[in-house]
Amino acid sequence: MGEKKQLNVRIPLELQEEIEKSGRSKVDIVIEALELYFNSKKPKEALKEEIQAESPASPGSVSKLPPVESDEMNRMKKEVDFLRTKIDDLLKLLHQEQVLHIQTQRMLSPPQPETKKWWQFWA
């Protein structure tokens, strides 16, 4: 952080009082807050790389941990399977309802008018 820029912001009075009570400089507090904010926004992969870089394992060796199945993950998998079966059941019911609807529409349609031959038109 060689070069610096100026940042002007308006803050609530309560925060100003907290800054004054802390006894630290405003610059230090703002810099620390911004660093914390941007570090919390880093993707998880970048954090994993940082942790691996700091780990005492020998360079070039990659330690693979077996996937851990927690109770929460098992519960979620069961719930997803349950919901998938419910979706299948609902789709079957929807199909049945559509077939019944078409059948009722055919039953309710008015009968076809009786066609007369041309010589029976006025009879």
mmCIF file of all heavy atoms in Angstrom, residues 12-53:
data_model
loop_
_atom_site.group_PDB
_atom_site.id
_atom_site.type_symbol
_atom_site.label_atom_id
_atom_site.label_comp_id
_atom_site.label_asym_id
_atom_site.label_seq_id
_atom_site.Cartn_x
_atom_site.Cartn_y
_atom_site.Cartn_z
ATOM 1 N N PRO A 12 -22.808 8.546 10.830
ATOM 2 C CA PRO A 12 -23.720 8.933 11.900
ATOM 3 C C PRO A 12 -22.958 9.404 13.138
ATOM 4 O O PRO A 12 -21.802 9.012 13.371
ATOM 5 C CB PRO A 12 -24.499 7.649 12.199
ATOM 6 C CG PRO A 12 -24.298 6.763 11.020
ATOM 7 C CD PRO A 12 -23.009 7.166 10.407
ATOM 8 N N LEU A 13 -23.604 10.221 13.924
ATOM 9 C CA LEU A 13 -22.964 10.758 15.133
ATOM 10 C C LEU A 13 -22.573 9.658 16.109
ATOM 11 O O LEU A 13 -21.549 9.769 16.798
ATOM 12 C CB LEU A 13 -23.897 11.756 15.820
ATOM 13 C CG LEU A 13 -24.133 13.078 15.075
ATOM 14 C CD1 LEU A 13 -25.151 13.942 15.809
ATOM 15 C CD2 LEU A 13 -22.821 13.829 14.934
ATOM 16 N N GLU A 14 -23.378 8.605 16.180
ATOM 17 C CA GLU A 14 -23.074 7.507 17.107
ATOM 18 C C GLU A 14 -21.723 6.867 16.761
ATOM 19 O O GLU A 14 -20.931 6.562 17.653
ATOM 20 C CB GLU A 14 -24.168 6.436 17.053
ATOM 21 C CG GLU A 14 -25.529 6.893 17.535
ATOM 22 C CD GLU A 14 -26.340 7.598 16.458
ATOM 23 O OE1 GLU A 14 -26.054 7.431 15.250
ATOM 24 O OE2 GLU A 14 -27.257 8.340 16.828
ATOM 25 N N LEU A 15 -21.471 6.694 15.444
ATOM 26 C CA LEU A 15 -20.179 6.122 15.041
ATOM 27 C C LEU A 15 -19.036 7.083 15.352
ATOM 28 O O LEU A 15 -17.948 6.657 15.763
ATOM 29 C CB LEU A 15 -20.190 5.774 13.557
ATOM 30 C CG LEU A 15 -20.990 4.544 13.154
ATOM 31 C CD1 LEU A 15 -20.956 4.375 11.647
ATOM 32 C CD2 LEU A 15 -20.470 3.306 13.837
ATOM 33 N N GLN A 16 -19.264 8.347 15.166
ATOM 34 C CA GLN A 16 -18.232 9.345 15.486
ATOM 35 C C GLN A 16 -17.871 9.283 16.977
ATOM 36 O O GLN A 16 -16.701 9.331 17.339
ATOM 37 C CB GLN A 16 -18.720 10.750 15.107
ATOM 38 C CG GLN A 16 -17.780 11.879 15.483
ATOM 39 C CD GLN A 16 -16.437 11.816 14.774
ATOM 40 O OE1 GLN A 16 -16.349 11.334 13.650
ATOM 41 N NE2 GLN A 16 -15.392 12.275 15.437
ATOM 42 N N GLU A 17 -18.879 9.147 17.822
ATOM 43 C CA GLU A 17 -18.623 9.047 19.266
ATOM 44 C C GLU A 17 -17.841 7.779 19.597
ATOM 45 O O GLU A 17 -16.940 7.799 20.441
ATOM 46 C CB GLU A 17 -19.951 9.075 20.022
ATOM 47 C CG GLU A 17 -20.651 10.426 19.943
ATOM 48 C CD GLU A 17 -22.075 10.392 20.492
ATOM 49 O OE1 GLU A 17 -22.528 9.318 20.938
ATOM 50 O OE2 GLU A 17 -22.733 11.440 20.463
ATOM 51 N N GLU A 18 -18.175 6.662 18.908
ATOM 52 C CA GLU A 18 -17.455 5.410 19.136
ATOM 53 C C GLU A 18 -15.982 5.558 18.730
ATOM 54 O O GLU A 18 -15.090 5.050 19.408
ATOM 55 C CB GLU A 18 -18.098 4.273 18.346
ATOM 56 C CG GLU A 18 -19.462 3.861 18.834
ATOM 57 C CD GLU A 18 -19.416 3.166 20.178
ATOM 58 O OE1 GLU A 18 -18.442 2.439 20.451
ATOM 59 O OE2 GLU A 18 -20.359 3.357 20.963
ATOM 60 N N ILE A 19 -15.749 6.244 17.619
ATOM 61 C CA ILE A 19 -14.359 6.453 17.170
ATOM 62 C C ILE A 19 -13.590 7.268 18.195
ATOM 63 O O ILE A 19 -12.450 6.951 18.532
ATOM 64 C CB ILE A 19 -14.346 7.148 15.784
ATOM 65 C CG1 ILE A 19 -14.881 6.200 14.711
ATOM 66 C CG2 ILE A 19 -12.939 7.626 15.428
ATOM 67 C CD1 ILE A 19 -15.075 6.841 13.357
ATOM 68 N N GLU A 20 -14.213 8.311 18.704
ATOM 69 C CA GLU A 20 -13.539 9.162 19.695
ATOM 70 C C GLU A 20 -13.262 8.396 20.981
ATOM 71 O O GLU A 20 -12.216 8.573 21.605
ATOM 72 C CB GLU A 20 -14.387 10.408 19.971
ATOM 73 C CG GLU A 20 -14.425 11.371 18.800
ATOM 74 C CD GLU A 20 -15.435 12.508 19.000
ATOM 75 O OE1 GLU A 20 -16.131 12.531 20.023
ATOM 76 O OE2 GLU A 20 -15.517 13.357 18.094
ATOM 77 N N LYS A 21 -14.183 7.499 21.381
ATOM 78 C CA LYS A 21 -13.999 6.723 22.611
ATOM 79 C C LYS A 21 -12.856 5.716 22.456
ATOM 80 O O LYS A 21 -12.194 5.385 23.430
ATOM 81 C CB LYS A 21 -15.274 5.951 22.952
ATOM 82 C CG LYS A 21 -16.388 6.809 23.486
ATOM 83 C CD LYS A 21 -17.600 5.929 23.789
ATOM 84 C CE LYS A 21 -18.831 6.731 24.110
ATOM 85 N NZ LYS A 21 -20.013 5.876 24.295
ATOM 86 N N SER A 22 -12.641 5.225 21.233
ATOM 87 C CA SER A 22 -11.637 4.178 21.034
ATOM 88 C C SER A 22 -10.218 4.692 21.237
ATOM 89 O O SER A 22 -9.326 3.928 21.590
ATOM 90 C CB SER A 22 -11.771 3.567 19.641
ATOM 91 O OG SER A 22 -11.322 4.489 18.661
ATOM 92 N N GLY A 23 -9.984 5.965 20.971
ATOM 93 C CA GLY A 23 -8.651 6.524 21.149
ATOM 94 C C GLY A 23 -7.722 6.266 19.971
ATOM 95 O O GLY A 23 -6.575 6.684 19.992
ATOM 96 N N ARG A 24 -8.197 5.578 18.946
ATOM 97 C CA ARG A 24 -7.394 5.316 17.754
ATOM 98 C C ARG A 24 -7.677 6.392 16.716
ATOM 99 O O ARG A 24 -8.678 7.098 16.776
ATOM 100 C CB ARG A 24 -7.735 3.948 17.186
ATOM 101 C CG ARG A 24 -7.360 2.817 18.127
ATOM 102 C CD ARG A 24 -7.747 1.467 17.601
ATOM 103 N NE ARG A 24 -7.136 1.198 16.307
ATOM 104 C CZ ARG A 24 -7.567 0.292 15.460
ATOM 105 N NH1 ARG A 24 -8.607 -0.449 15.763
ATOM 106 N NH2 ARG A 24 -6.970 0.111 14.300
ATOM 107 N N SER A 25 -6.813 6.477 15.730
ATOM 108 C CA SER A 25 -7.021 7.481 14.681
ATOM 109 C C SER A 25 -8.113 7.003 13.728
ATOM 110 O O SER A 25 -8.315 5.802 13.530
ATOM 111 C CB SER A 25 -5.729 7.735 13.918
ATOM 112 O OG SER A 25 -5.424 6.627 13.107
ATOM 113 N N LYS A 26 -8.794 7.971 13.142
ATOM 114 C CA LYS A 26 -9.868 7.656 12.194
ATOM 115 C C LYS A 26 -9.326 6.881 11.001
ATOM 116 O O LYS A 26 -9.963 5.953 10.499
ATOM 117 C CB LYS A 26 -10.548 8.934 11.717
ATOM 118 C CG LYS A 26 -11.314 9.663 12.785
ATOM 119 C CD LYS A 26 -11.911 10.952 12.232
ATOM 120 C CE LYS A 26 -12.533 11.770 13.330
ATOM 121 N NZ LYS A 26 -13.048 13.053 12.851
ATOM 122 N N VAL A 27 -8.142 7.248 10.557
ATOM 123 C CA VAL A 27 -7.533 6.601 9.391
ATOM 124 C C VAL A 27 -7.320 5.118 9.669
ATOM 125 O O VAL A 27 -7.680 4.262 8.843
ATOM 126 C CB VAL A 27 -6.199 7.290 9.038
ATOM 127 C CG1 VAL A 27 -5.473 6.548 7.934
ATOM 128 C CG2 VAL A 27 -6.432 8.732 8.648
ATOM 129 N N ASP A 28 -6.764 4.802 10.833
ATOM 130 C CA ASP A 28 -6.506 3.396 11.163
ATOM 131 C C ASP A 28 -7.805 2.600 11.232
ATOM 132 O O ASP A 28 -7.881 1.467 10.754
ATOM 133 C CB ASP A 28 -5.764 3.292 12.497
ATOM 134 C CG ASP A 28 -4.358 3.849 12.427
ATOM 135 O OD1 ASP A 28 -3.813 3.938 11.299
ATOM 136 O OD2 ASP A 28 -3.800 4.196 13.490
ATOM 137 N N ILE A 29 -8.837 3.182 11.831
ATOM 138 C CA ILE A 29 -10.112 2.484 11.975
ATOM 139 C C ILE A 29 -10.747 2.232 10.610
ATOM 140 O O ILE A 29 -11.220 1.134 10.315
ATOM 141 C CB ILE A 29 -11.063 3.277 12.905
ATOM 142 C CG1 ILE A 29 -10.508 3.262 14.326
ATOM 143 C CG2 ILE A 29 -12.464 2.706 12.853
ATOM 144 C CD1 ILE A 29 -11.266 4.122 15.293
ATOM 145 N N VAL A 30 -10.726 3.242 9.747
ATOM 146 C CA VAL A 30 -11.335 3.092 8.425
ATOM 147 C C VAL A 30 -10.568 2.071 7.591
ATOM 148 O O VAL A 30 -11.166 1.218 6.925
ATOM 149 C CB VAL A 30 -11.422 4.462 7.705
ATOM 150 C CG1 VAL A 30 -11.833 4.289 6.260
ATOM 151 C CG2 VAL A 30 -12.391 5.371 8.434
ATOM 152 N N ILE A 31 -9.244 2.114 7.640
ATOM 153 C CA ILE A 31 -8.432 1.152 6.885
ATOM 154 C C ILE A 31 -8.709 -0.265 7.372
ATOM 155 O O ILE A 31 -8.927 -1.182 6.568
ATOM 156 C CB ILE A 31 -6.931 1.498 6.987
ATOM 157 C CG1 ILE A 31 -6.641 2.783 6.196
ATOM 158 C CG2 ILE A 31 -6.060 0.346 6.495
ATOM 159 C CD1 ILE A 31 -5.232 3.299 6.356
ATOM 160 N N GLU A 32 -8.738 -0.458 8.674
ATOM 161 C CA GLU A 32 -9.009 -1.790 9.220
ATOM 162 C C GLU A 32 -10.411 -2.274 8.833
ATOM 163 O O GLU A 32 -10.596 -3.425 8.450
ATOM 164 C CB GLU A 32 -8.865 -1.776 10.740
ATOM 165 C CG GLU A 32 -9.087 -3.133 11.367
ATOM 166 C CD GLU A 32 -8.972 -3.100 12.881
ATOM 167 O OE1 GLU A 32 -8.492 -2.096 13.443
ATOM 168 O OE2 GLU A 32 -9.373 -4.102 13.488
ATOM 169 N N ALA A 33 -11.396 -1.379 8.898
ATOM 170 C CA ALA A 33 -12.765 -1.760 8.546
ATOM 171 C C ALA A 33 -12.864 -2.151 7.072
ATOM 172 O O ALA A 33 -13.510 -3.141 6.724
ATOM 173 C CB ALA A 33 -13.720 -0.610 8.858
ATOM 174 N N LEU A 34 -12.218 -1.388 6.197
ATOM 175 C CA LEU A 34 -12.255 -1.713 4.771
ATOM 176 C C LEU A 34 -11.534 -3.018 4.474
ATOM 177 O O LEU A 34 -11.992 -3.822 3.656
ATOM 178 C CB LEU A 34 -11.660 -0.565 3.953
ATOM 179 C CG LEU A 34 -12.512 0.715 3.888
ATOM 180 C CD1 LEU A 34 -11.747 1.838 3.213
ATOM 181 C CD2 LEU A 34 -13.808 0.445 3.161
ATOM 182 N N GLU A 35 -10.414 -3.268 5.140
ATOM 183 C CA GLU A 35 -9.703 -4.528 4.938
ATOM 184 C C GLU A 35 -10.552 -5.708 5.393
ATOM 185 O O GLU A 35 -10.643 -6.734 4.708
ATOM 186 C CB GLU A 35 -8.372 -4.510 5.688
ATOM 187 C CG GLU A 35 -7.321 -3.648 5.023
ATOM 188 C CD GLU A 35 -6.061 -3.523 5.856
ATOM 189 O OE1 GLU A 35 -6.060 -3.920 7.044
ATOM 190 O OE2 GLU A 35 -5.063 -3.018 5.310
ATOM 191 N N LEU A 36 -11.191 -5.568 6.541
ATOM 192 C CA LEU A 36 -12.067 -6.637 7.017
ATOM 193 C C LEU A 36 -13.217 -6.874 6.048
ATOM 194 O O LEU A 36 -13.592 -8.015 5.770
ATOM 195 C CB LEU A 36 -12.619 -6.295 8.407
ATOM 196 C CG LEU A 36 -11.639 -6.417 9.569
ATOM 197 C CD1 LEU A 36 -12.250 -5.860 10.839
ATOM 198 C CD2 LEU A 36 -11.231 -7.858 9.755
ATOM 199 N N TYR A 37 -13.775 -5.808 5.534
ATOM 200 C CA TYR A 37 -14.901 -5.930 4.601
ATOM 201 C C TYR A 37 -14.487 -6.678 3.340
ATOM 202 O O TYR A 37 -15.136 -7.635 2.930
ATOM 203 C CB TYR A 37 -15.438 -4.544 4.241
ATOM 204 C CG TYR A 37 -16.488 -4.575 3.154
ATOM 205 C CD1 TYR A 37 -17.796 -4.959 3.440
ATOM 206 C CD2 TYR A 37 -16.171 -4.237 1.845
ATOM 207 C CE1 TYR A 37 -18.754 -5.001 2.448
ATOM 208 C CE2 TYR A 37 -17.123 -4.274 0.843
ATOM 209 C CZ TYR A 37 -18.415 -4.652 1.151
ATOM 210 O OH TYR A 37 -19.363 -4.697 0.161
ATOM 211 N N PHE A 38 -13.382 -6.258 2.732
ATOM 212 C CA PHE A 38 -12.968 -6.887 1.481
ATOM 213 C C PHE A 38 -12.422 -8.296 1.693
ATOM 214 O O PHE A 38 -12.562 -9.150 0.825
ATOM 215 C CB PHE A 38 -11.970 -6.004 0.728
ATOM 216 C CG PHE A 38 -12.625 -4.805 0.112
ATOM 217 C CD1 PHE A 38 -12.336 -3.524 0.555
ATOM 218 C CD2 PHE A 38 -13.563 -4.946 -0.893
ATOM 219 C CE1 PHE A 38 -12.950 -2.425 -0.012
ATOM 220 C CE2 PHE A 38 -14.188 -3.856 -1.467
ATOM 221 C CZ PHE A 38 -13.878 -2.586 -1.019
ATOM 222 N N ASN A 39 -11.819 -8.569 2.839
ATOM 223 C CA ASN A 39 -11.368 -9.931 3.121
ATOM 224 C C ASN A 39 -12.550 -10.870 3.318
ATOM 225 O O ASN A 39 -12.468 -12.047 2.994
ATOM 226 C CB ASN A 39 -10.461 -9.961 4.351
ATOM 227 C CG ASN A 39 -9.088 -9.388 4.051
ATOM 228 O OD1 ASN A 39 -8.672 -9.333 2.899
ATOM 229 N ND2 ASN A 39 -8.397 -8.944 5.081
ATOM 230 N N SER A 40 -13.651 -10.365 3.845
ATOM 231 C CA SER A 40 -14.831 -11.221 4.033
ATOM 232 C C SER A 40 -15.520 -11.512 2.710
ATOM 233 O O SER A 40 -16.274 -12.464 2.595
ATOM 234 C CB SER A 40 -15.822 -10.558 4.987
ATOM 235 O OG SER A 40 -16.423 -9.425 4.371
ATOM 236 N N LYS A 41 -15.253 -10.708 1.677
ATOM 237 C CA LYS A 41 -15.867 -10.905 0.366
ATOM 238 C C LYS A 41 -15.067 -11.817 -0.547
ATOM 239 O O LYS A 41 -15.506 -12.131 -1.642
ATOM 240 C CB LYS A 41 -16.053 -9.541 -0.349
ATOM 241 C CG LYS A 41 -16.991 -8.608 0.341
ATOM 242 C CD LYS A 41 -18.395 -9.140 0.266
ATOM 243 C CE LYS A 41 -19.352 -8.158 0.896
ATOM 244 N NZ LYS A 41 -20.709 -8.611 0.854
ATOM 245 N N LYS A 42 -13.896 -12.249 -0.107
ATOM 246 C CA LYS A 42 -13.074 -13.119 -0.945
ATOM 247 C C LYS A 42 -13.799 -14.439 -1.163
ATOM 248 O O LYS A 42 -14.468 -14.949 -0.273
ATOM 249 C CB LYS A 42 -11.733 -13.404 -0.274
ATOM 250 C CG LYS A 42 -10.742 -12.281 -0.382
ATOM 251 C CD LYS A 42 -9.417 -12.722 0.191
ATOM 252 C CE LYS A 42 -8.399 -11.622 0.104
ATOM 253 N NZ LYS A 42 -7.122 -12.038 0.700
ATOM 254 N N PRO A 43 -13.665 -15.023 -2.344
ATOM 255 C CA PRO A 43 -14.276 -16.336 -2.578
ATOM 256 C C PRO A 43 -13.644 -17.404 -1.696
ATOM 257 O O PRO A 43 -12.499 -17.273 -1.262
ATOM 258 C CB PRO A 43 -14.005 -16.618 -4.047
ATOM 259 C CG PRO A 43 -13.231 -15.486 -4.584
ATOM 260 C CD PRO A 43 -13.010 -14.488 -3.497
ATOM 261 N N LYS A 44 -14.380 -18.449 -1.440
ATOM 262 C CA LYS A 44 -13.903 -19.512 -0.562
ATOM 263 C C LYS A 44 -12.645 -20.181 -1.111
ATOM 264 O O LYS A 44 -11.785 -20.608 -0.356
ATOM 265 C CB LYS A 44 -15.002 -20.549 -0.357
ATOM 266 C CG LYS A 44 -16.154 -20.021 0.447
ATOM 267 C CD LYS A 44 -17.204 -21.077 0.648
ATOM 268 C CE LYS A 44 -18.365 -20.513 1.441
ATOM 269 N NZ LYS A 44 -19.428 -21.491 1.638
ATOM 270 N N GLU A 45 -12.535 -20.251 -2.441
ATOM 271 C CA GLU A 45 -11.367 -20.894 -3.020
ATOM 272 C C GLU A 45 -10.087 -20.128 -2.680
ATOM 273 O O GLU A 45 -9.059 -20.715 -2.394
ATOM 274 C CB GLU A 45 -11.501 -21.000 -4.547
ATOM 275 C CG GLU A 45 -12.586 -21.936 -5.011
ATOM 276 C CD GLU A 45 -13.969 -21.304 -4.978
ATOM 277 O OE1 GLU A 45 -14.071 -20.067 -5.061
ATOM 278 O OE2 GLU A 45 -14.941 -22.049 -4.849
ATOM 279 N N ALA A 46 -10.176 -18.800 -2.712
ATOM 280 C CA ALA A 46 -8.993 -18.005 -2.398
ATOM 281 C C ALA A 46 -8.586 -18.214 -0.950
ATOM 282 O O ALA A 46 -7.396 -18.293 -0.630
ATOM 283 C CB ALA A 46 -9.270 -16.530 -2.672
ATOM 284 N N LEU A 47 -9.574 -18.341 -0.063
ATOM 285 C CA LEU A 47 -9.255 -18.576 1.339
ATOM 286 C C LEU A 47 -8.634 -19.953 1.528
ATOM 287 O O LEU A 47 -7.707 -20.118 2.321
ATOM 288 C CB LEU A 47 -10.519 -18.443 2.191
ATOM 289 C CG LEU A 47 -11.098 -17.029 2.309
ATOM 290 C CD1 LEU A 47 -12.405 -17.055 3.071
ATOM 291 C CD2 LEU A 47 -10.105 -16.109 2.979
ATOM 292 N N LYS A 48 -9.127 -20.956 0.777
ATOM 293 C CA LYS A 48 -8.555 -22.294 0.880
ATOM 294 C C LYS A 48 -7.105 -22.286 0.422
ATOM 295 O O LYS A 48 -6.251 -22.931 1.012
ATOM 296 C CB LYS A 48 -9.357 -23.287 0.041
ATOM 297 C CG LYS A 48 -10.692 -23.633 0.634
ATOM 298 C CD LYS A 48 -11.440 -24.603 -0.244
ATOM 299 C CE LYS A 48 -12.822 -24.894 0.288
ATOM 300 N NZ LYS A 48 -13.583 -25.771 -0.602
ATOM 301 N N GLU A 49 -6.814 -21.527 -0.654
ATOM 302 C CA GLU A 49 -5.441 -21.441 -1.144
ATOM 303 C C GLU A 49 -4.542 -20.792 -0.109
ATOM 304 O O GLU A 49 -3.407 -21.207 0.092
ATOM 305 C CB GLU A 49 -5.400 -20.663 -2.457
ATOM 306 C CG GLU A 49 -6.023 -21.407 -3.620
ATOM 307 C CD GLU A 49 -6.109 -20.564 -4.879
ATOM 308 O OE1 GLU A 49 -5.594 -19.427 -4.867
ATOM 309 O OE2 GLU A 49 -6.687 -21.039 -5.863
ATOM 310 N N GLU A 50 -5.071 -19.753 0.570
ATOM 311 C CA GLU A 50 -4.271 -19.094 1.603
ATOM 312 C C GLU A 50 -3.993 -20.049 2.753
ATOM 313 O O GLU A 50 -2.885 -20.097 3.283
ATOM 314 C CB GLU A 50 -4.986 -17.848 2.115
ATOM 315 C CG GLU A 50 -4.983 -16.696 1.147
ATOM 316 C CD GLU A 50 -5.727 -15.489 1.696
ATOM 317 O OE1 GLU A 50 -6.129 -15.520 2.875
ATOM 318 O OE2 GLU A 50 -5.901 -14.514 0.948
ATOM 319 N N ILE A 51 -4.979 -20.834 3.131
ATOM 320 C CA ILE A 51 -4.796 -21.775 4.239
ATOM 321 C C ILE A 51 -3.787 -22.843 3.850
ATOM 322 O O ILE A 51 -2.911 -23.204 4.642
ATOM 323 C CB ILE A 51 -6.154 -22.408 4.627
ATOM 324 C CG1 ILE A 51 -7.040 -21.342 5.275
ATOM 325 C CG2 ILE A 51 -5.958 -23.586 5.554
ATOM 326 C CD1 ILE A 51 -8.468 -21.792 5.515
ATOM 327 N N GLN A 52 -3.866 -23.340 2.606
ATOM 328 C CA GLN A 52 -2.909 -24.346 2.160
ATOM 329 C C GLN A 52 -1.507 -23.765 2.089
ATOM 330 O O GLN A 52 -0.530 -24.441 2.381
ATOM 331 C CB GLN A 52 -3.316 -24.902 0.804
ATOM 332 C CG GLN A 52 -4.519 -25.820 0.873
ATOM 333 C CD GLN A 52 -4.929 -26.335 -0.489
ATOM 334 O OE1 GLN A 52 -4.373 -25.935 -1.505
ATOM 335 N NE2 GLN A 52 -5.909 -27.223 -0.510
ATOM 336 N N ALA A 53 -1.403 -22.491 1.707
ATOM 337 C CA ALA A 53 -0.087 -21.857 1.628
ATOM 338 C C ALA A 53 0.508 -21.705 3.023
ATOM 339 O O ALA A 53 1.722 -21.797 3.203
ATOM 340 C CB ALA A 53 -0.192 -20.502 0.954
#
